[in-house]
Amino acid sequence: RATFAWLADVFIVEKERGQGLGVWLIEVVTSHPRLQGFRRWILATRDAHELYRQFGFKEITELKRWMERTTT
C-alpha cells in the first residue's frame, strides 16, 4: 500500500470545460475507497487552485523540504 498520492497530468480539454467535469473527476478520485488513508496528496496546477481547494488542497507551507531535478 502507498501513503502518498501524486496527481499528475489531470486536465479537461478546453472545449469540454465549464461542465463540472473537473469537479466530478477530483471528487471521484479523492473519494475512492481504495485511495483512502493517504497521509499526503500532492499536485501541481497552473490555474485550477480554486478547484482543488474545494477538496482540501492548499499551498505547500514547507517548501524547503521539497527538491526537484528536471531535464531539458
Side-chain angles (χ1 to χ4, degrees), residues 9-63:
D9 300 328
V10 176
F11 66 94
I12 305 299
V13 294
E14 193 169 337
K15 71 177 190 167
E16 302 296 333
R17 293 179 187 168
Q19 299 180 48
L21 294 173
V23 171
W24 172 82
L25 179 62
I26 301 306
E27 186 173 272
V28 168
V29 170
T30 58
S31 67
H32 191 284
R34 294 185 79 185
L35 301 179
Q36 301 310 299
F38 288 140
R39 293 182 305 145
R40 182 179 308 245
W41 292 71
I42 293 290
L43 61 84
T45 184
R46 184 179 328 153
D47 58 4
H49 295 77
E50 292 307 315
L51 166 65
Y52 295 111
R53 281 188 185 107
Q54 295 176 53
F55 295 92
F57 287 87
K58 58 186 177 183
E59 284 78 6
I60 294 175
T61 57
E62 295 185 42
L63 287 177

